[in-house]
Amino acid sequence: MKTNTNSYTIIYSAILVIVVAFLLAFVFQILKPMQDVNVALDQQRQILYSLNIRGLDDKAAAAKYKEVVMADRVIDENGKILEQGTQGGTQAGFKLNSADYKAGRLALYVCKVNGETKYVLPVYGMGLWGPINAFVALNDDKNTVYGAYFNHDSETAGLGAEIKDNLQWQQQFQGKKIFKPQTNEIGLAAVKKIDDPASQVDAVTGATLTSNGVNDMFKEGFGKYMKFLKEK
């Protein structure tokens, strides 16, 4: 075939595209198991962070997750258990995502820390530039925050991104109450001026919309878990 013809150029380009696409697909399939392991480990770390367990290397974090997480349950908005999960579980609630959450399939991590029962709830919302989410650990009373870890996709560095990057800000939530006294109203919030120190923390400085997103996430998220949180 003559190399200076249009047909040669088209055929050559098509073959090149096919070969490159095949190589990319092959590399993706080879690396996917490793990527899946890393993604799962990152989620395990976030759950441990909400339980105030930090500073562990990969191996120690994976072992600690198996030790403290008694079950990764799936419940519905009526508090009914749909799947019990397992100790150190990664196949039930652990596999759920924001789409499941919106559909009413809710993850619930039942944990033991220093002999005490803790419940970790994942909640999802929207920040200024994209999705945000959090793992919130509660004491056995299902009202007092034991710890919290926040994450985001694309908040502004130094501002909205502080919900993830600022440990001191996250630690403000420890000991706060989810509900206003004697009500089903969600009181947990990040505000500019604290009127209720039992439930409120300082908002992220210069990131009003992200803080509002956190508050909306709490209201919607804990609202979905309301039946579970209120049952004795």
Side-chain angles (χ1 to χ4, degrees), residues 16-33 35:
L16 185 61
V17 168
I18 292 171
V19 170
V20 171
F22 173 80
L23 291 175
L24 288 174
F26 177 75
V27 171
F28 174 78
Q29 290 299 323
I30 292 296
L31 296 179
K32 190 175 186 304
Q35 293 172 341

Side-chain angles (χ1 to χ4, degrees), residues 2-225:
K2 294 182 179 180
T3 59
N4 60 348
T5 63
N6 289 337
S7 58
Y8 176 85
T9 301
I10 293 172
I11 293 172
Y12 179 83
S13 298
I15 293 174
L16 185 61
V17 168
I18 292 171
V19 170
V20 171
F22 173 80
L23 291 175
L24 288 174
F26 177 75
V27 171
F28 174 78
Q29 290 299 323
I30 292 296
L31 296 179
K32 190 175 186 304
M34 186 182 301
Q35 293 172 341
D36 291 344
V37 168
N38 290 334
V39 169
L41 179 59
D42 180 62
Q43 183 168 321
Q44 290 172 8
R45 282 185 178 278
Q46 291 183 41
I47 293 167
L48 292 176
Y49 292 163
S50 75
L51 293 165
N52 306 317
I53 301 172
R54 298 173 180 257
L56 303 178
D57 61 28
D58 290 352
K59 184 177 180 180
K64 194 67 174 178
Y65 177 84
K66 291 181 180 179
E67 175 189 335
V68 302
V69 175
M70 299 294 102
D72 61 325
R73 290 177 183 167
V74 179
I75 65 173
D76 64 17
E77 293 185 34
N78 291 316
K80 179 182 178 182
I81 298 174
L82 304 179
E83 296 182 49
Q84 281 286 357
T86 59
Q87 182 162 356
T90 57
Q91 298 300 314
F94 189 85
K95 298 184 74 172
L96 301 186
N97 55 32
S98 59
D100 297 296
Y101 168 85
K102 291 177 182 177
R105 286 176 55 82
L106 311 174
L108 172 65
Y109 299 89
V110 182
C111 308
K112 284 284 186 182
V113 179
N114 298 324
E116 298 180 350
T117 299
K118 311 294 179 186
Y119 299 104
V120 177
L121 283 55
V123 290
Y124 301 84
M126 286 295 296
L128 175 59
W129 300 112
I132 59 176
N133 67 280
F135 288 101
V136 181
L138 306 178
N139 287 338
D140 196 24
D141 64 1
K142 301 180 183 178
N143 186 32
T144 307
V145 177
Y146 180 70
Y149 178 78
F150 297 81
N151 204 353
H152 66 87
D153 283 353
S154 54
E155 296 305 285
T156 306
L159 296 175
E162 291 292 284
I163 66 171
K164 175 182 178 181
D165 301 334
N166 191 329
L167 175 59
Q168 186 176 3
W169 185 79
Q170 295 179 12
Q171 289 176 331
Q172 290 185 96
F173 289 91
Q174 296 175 14
K176 300 299 181 181
K177 303 296 184 181
I178 291 179
F179 297 105
K180 294 182 178 180
Q182 308 302 318
T183 73
N184 291 339
E185 186 177 352
I186 306 300
L188 190 65
V191 297
K192 289 184 177 179
K193 182 180 179 181
I194 295 177
D195 297 317
D196 179 12
S199 294
Q200 296 174 342
V201 305
D202 291 319
V204 178
T205 303
T208 301
L209 293 179
T210 301
S211 296
N212 290 343
V214 168
N215 297 337
D216 291 340
M217 177 174 67
F218 286 157
K219 288 180 180 179
E220 179 183 358
F222 294 132
K224 287 181 177 292
Y225 287 92

